[in-house]
Amino acid sequence: LVFRPNDRQAVNGVAVAKGACLLSINDNVVATVLRLEPPIGRGGQGWSTEPIELPGTGQAAITFADKDESVVFINYEDFLTPSSLLALDSSNGSIETLKALPASFDSTELVVEQHQATSNDGTSVPYFVVRSSDVPFDGSTPTLLYGYGGFQIALGPSYSGTIGRNWLSQGGAYVLANIRGGGEFGPEWHQAGLRTNRQRVYDDFIAVAESVVASGLTSPASLGIMGG
């Protein structure tokens, strides 16, 4: 056995490069790339697993790998980093940014956090908060909460010039709720919000809203909700 995902992980893809196997997964909705090395040459002690250090809390996809090449290309983005092309050296795990789309807004004063809310049935529901580093936590920050929860679609950290320029740069906070019905944790997470279980999706969304208010970031009067 090389890798077995837990109930908060989803495997996105496997790629083979020179001297290593690369595994792209989502770990609690955050992209992780693992460098796997076979036991050959290491005394037969089993596969080694080493995480690759990505630029931040985002999403990543392996776009090129070849068994005869040590250079692997990865597409990466997060809430504060526009779509970027990274070059990974599979021989030692080092990584560098080759090029990136231009930034649409100034993110120097912004921070990204991930939290957990507890839904009505006790299920832990992850959510992301993007905000200014100096918000007062007195309930006054205008906050936009977004959720989807359908069609096994996973919502990960992604770059939006529209939200960045027109909301975050104006002092607002943005919250992304990873509610059931989506594909964040595989088919079971999706099916838990179907048909007669649809109320769970709304319960998850409500739980995230209540958690954000309880943190002091915003208040019901300053909280807007949005979704599909």
Side-chain angles (χ1 to χ4, degrees), residues 88-112:
L88 165 69
D89 187 337
S90 65
S91 65
N92 57 24
S94 64
I95 196 165
E96 64 173 319
T97 300
L98 295 182
K99 54 174 61 179
L101 292 178
S104 300
F105 59 95
D106 183 3
S107 63
T108 52
E109 300 300 322
L110 298 175
V111 296
V112 178

Side-chain angles (χ1 to χ4, degrees), residues 60-198:
I62 299 171
T63 56
F64 170 81
D66 186 277
K67 64 182 179 63
D68 297 319
E69 298 287 343
S70 59
V71 175
V72 177
F73 291 148
I74 297 173
N75 256 121
Y76 175 84
E77 67 177 293
D78 59 40
F79 289 113
L80 307 181
T81 306
S83 182
S84 307
L85 181 64
L86 312 180
L88 165 69
D89 187 337
S90 65
S91 65
N92 57 24
S94 64
I95 196 165
E96 64 173 319
T97 300
L98 295 182
K99 54 174 61 179
L101 292 178
S104 300
F105 59 95
D106 183 3
S107 63
T108 52
E109 300 300 322
L110 298 175
V111 296
V112 178
E113 303 166 327
Q114 188 181 37
H115 300 281
Q116 306 288 325
T118 303
S119 195
N120 195 43
D121 63 357
T123 299
S124 182
V125 180
Y127 65 93
F128 294 96
V129 177
V130 189
R131 60 172 178 85
S132 173
S133 59
D134 60 356
V135 294
F137 284 94
D138 59 0
S140 64
T141 304
T143 300
L144 178 62
L145 167 61
Y146 183 85
Y148 189 73
F151 296 96
Q152 204 166 329
I153 293 171
L155 297 181
S158 60
Y159 191 82
S160 170
T162 302
I163 293 173
R165 283 193 309 271
N166 300 323
W167 188 250
L168 296 171
S169 295
Q170 308 303 318
Y174 179 71
V175 179
L176 180 65
N178 299 114
I179 55 182
R180 280 174 286 186
E184 282 82 355
F185 302 128
E188 190 173 332
W189 189 255
H190 167 59
Q191 292 161 6
L194 296 182
R195 301 182 179 87
T196 56
N197 294 324
R198 193 63 188 163

